[in-house]
Amino acid sequence: MAKQVQHKQAQQQLVARRRKARHYALQAIYQWHMAGASPSAIEAEFRTDYDFAVVDLEYFQTLLAGVAAGADELDRAFEPLLDRPIDELDPIERSLLRMGSLELRERIDVPYRVVINESVALAKKFGATESYKYINGVLDKLAHVFRQPEVAARS
């Protein structure tokens, strides 16, 4: 019984550390998108300015580096699902869609619903008033592309 409790606590800590990693990664990706600084410089700045003891650093690094390295490819993945030109997206929306797209494509260890829910939560916190609905809709459609077997199994 004690092992089950320890496992559950470890899982809850991982969830909290990843949530914080996504929070900072979104801000870092936004900064990269707007200012064009290198991902390594942005990471160094974030690690200096914020307490990373409560952050899944590897996850933060994966998101920031993955989006920076593959932004054009990620954009091409979700662009057909948009109702407007990609250049008209709010920078927070675009950063969230890039990050969510990367997670859906690369992190199959994270259930697609978790990726969508975490992205929606960040959109509610950082995005425009109704942007969370837009993020939810686009990432849900993208989940059918990147995670078709997982989505089908949940239907």
Side-chain angles (χ1 to χ4, degrees):
M1 187 68 152
K3 281 194 172 205
Q4 287 177 327
V5 170
Q6 286 177 336
H7 178 72
K8 185 171 182 160
Q9 288 174 338
Q11 281 299 108
Q12 289 172 337
Q13 287 176 344
L14 177 63
V15 166
R17 292 171 64 86
R18 284 198 174 164
R19 180 168 289 134
K20 201 67 167 168
R22 286 183 187 95
H23 175 99
Y24 288 144
L26 172 61
Q27 292 174 307
I29 291 164
Y30 174 83
Q31 184 173 330
W32 169 80
H33 175 79
M34 298 302 289
S38 75
S40 59
I42 293 169
E43 178 185 338
E45 179 184 326
F46 271 68
R47 290 180 71 176
T48 300
D49 292 348
Y50 301 105
D51 179 11
F52 266 72
V54 296
V55 176
D56 184 334
L57 178 60
E58 179 187 343
Y59 211 76
F60 170 84
Q61 291 168 328
T62 297
L63 294 173
L64 176 57
V67 168
D72 291 338
E73 187 178 341
L74 294 167
D75 288 355
R76 284 192 297 274
F78 64 77
E79 190 170 18
L81 309 172
L82 302 177
D83 64 353
R84 58 185 174 251
I86 197 165
D87 292 337
E88 291 181 14
L89 285 177
D90 175 85
I92 290 290
E93 289 176 344
R94 192 168 185 175
S95 297
L96 270 171
L97 289 173
R98 285 174 168 168
M99 190 169 80
S101 298
L102 179 76
E103 282 192 275
L104 286 172
R105 187 182 74 190
E106 302 291 328
R107 297 303 303 236
I108 61 170
D109 59 311
V110 179
Y112 80 95
R113 288 187 181 215
V114 170
V115 172
I116 294 171
N117 288 340
E118 292 290 324
S119 297
V120 165
L122 287 168
K124 287 179 179 179
K125 183 170 187 166
F126 293 107
T129 306
E130 299 291 316
S131 69
Y132 73 93
K133 293 177 185 178
Y134 191 72
I135 297 298
N136 183 63
V138 174
L139 291 179
D140 185 63
K141 291 174 190 168
L142 194 58
H144 286 79
V145 175
F146 286 142
R147 305 278 192 95
Q148 197 282 324
E150 185 184 352
V151 172
R154 292 198 67 126
S155 297

